[in-house]
Amino acid sequence: MKTLILFYSTYGHVFKLAEAMAEGAREVEGNEVVIKKVPETLPKELLDQIGATEAQKAFDHIAVATPDELADYDAIVVGVPTRYGNMCGQMQAFWDSTGGLWAKGALVGKVGGAFVSTATQHGGQETTIRAVHTMQLHHGFVLVGLPYAWQGQMGHHEVTGGTPYGASTVAGGQGERQPSSNELEGARYQGRHTAEIAKKLSTK
């Protein structure tokens, strides 16, 4: 069984969630877990201007995914920063190039899910994840979220991400806040939960 954690990250917040997601998924016996990123679409000059170039060095070593390889995985979990309540353009452009897979039904029956980073608590976490879900449903994915069996999303003693739709983090207006231990644990839970369901569905 193979699981792909597919992400785009501007400043590293989504990448940290992706690493935690992979940690959880690796706890499922027999599961090969791969982390990959989608291609960057912004020019280097703009990335330099917004301070993303330096931040992205932390995951320069991560390989770039291609649409053709998606059919090789049993589960694909997508991580994105939000852009006005929707997935970022880099991730949208990647999935816009998967029409050939859609036409062949190559992803039908695979397990999918999503996780997200927003600047503020109410910056579109759930709408962004639902946007990813909509795309995945069109491809025929079986969706897995972050159930309330994970009690970390029940608390109110601290500012924290975590929704029943998927793991999340609140990055702060300047990206100054890093994913908390609670948010990372939510990502680990979702990764493990997703892999467990994929394993059940892949049993022959």
Side-chain angles (χ1 to χ4, degrees):
M1 191 181 80
K2 293 181 67 175
T3 296
L4 174 64
I5 311 299
L6 181 68
F7 78 97
Y8 174 80
S9 190
T10 307
Y11 298 109
H13 300 80
V14 176
F15 174 56
K16 289 182 179 178
L17 288 181
E19 288 185 306
M21 191 80 59
E23 288 175 10
R26 288 189 183 107
E27 293 178 19
V28 176
E29 186 178 356
N31 187 26
E32 177 186 344
V33 182
V34 178
I35 302 178
K36 289 197 174 184
K37 60 189 177 184
V38 298
E40 180 61 79
T41 59
L42 294 178
K44 185 178 183 304
E45 294 76 13
L46 180 55
L47 293 171
D48 290 342
Q49 182 181 335
I50 64 175
T53 303
E54 188 64 29
Q56 291 182 353
K57 288 180 180 178
F59 45 91
D60 272 350
H61 62 289
I62 300 295
V64 175
T66 61
D68 290 345
E69 71 184 271
L70 298 181
D72 297 335
Y73 297 94
D74 300 286
I76 302 172
V77 190
V78 174
V80 291
T82 189
R83 296 291 184 266
Y84 309 111
N86 208 332
M87 76 175 88
C88 64
Q90 292 87 344
M91 187 62 72
Q92 185 69 62
F94 179 86
W95 284 96
D96 283 350
S97 67
T98 62
L101 294 173
W102 173 84
K104 294 184 295 185
L107 305 182
V108 172
K110 295 187 182 297
V111 174
F115 56 102
V116 70
S117 171
T118 60
T120 61
Q121 282 182 277
H122 307 290
Q125 294 196 354
E126 294 181 352
T127 60
T128 301
I129 293 174
R130 292 295 299 274
V132 177
H133 284 173
T134 298
M135 172 274 296
Q136 290 175 323
L137 285 169
H138 276 262
H139 270 290
F141 280 83
V142 177
L143 299 184
V144 176
L146 180 60
Y148 279 105
W150 178 64
Q151 293 293 299
Q153 60 183 310
M154 295 295 290
H156 50 80
H157 59 287
E158 63 177 281
V159 173
T160 186
T163 81
Y165 307 99
S168 62
T169 187
V170 181
Q174 303 300 316
E176 69 278 9
R177 182 182 181 275
Q178 295 301 310
S180 69
S181 58
N182 188 59
E183 292 166 341
L184 293 172
E185 185 52 41
R188 289 187 195 96
Y189 187 103
Q190 184 180 351
R192 182 172 57 252
H193 181 54
T194 302
E196 287 171 344
I197 291 177
K199 185 174 183 179
K200 291 177 182 178
L201 292 178
S202 66
T203 300
K204 295 181 173 60

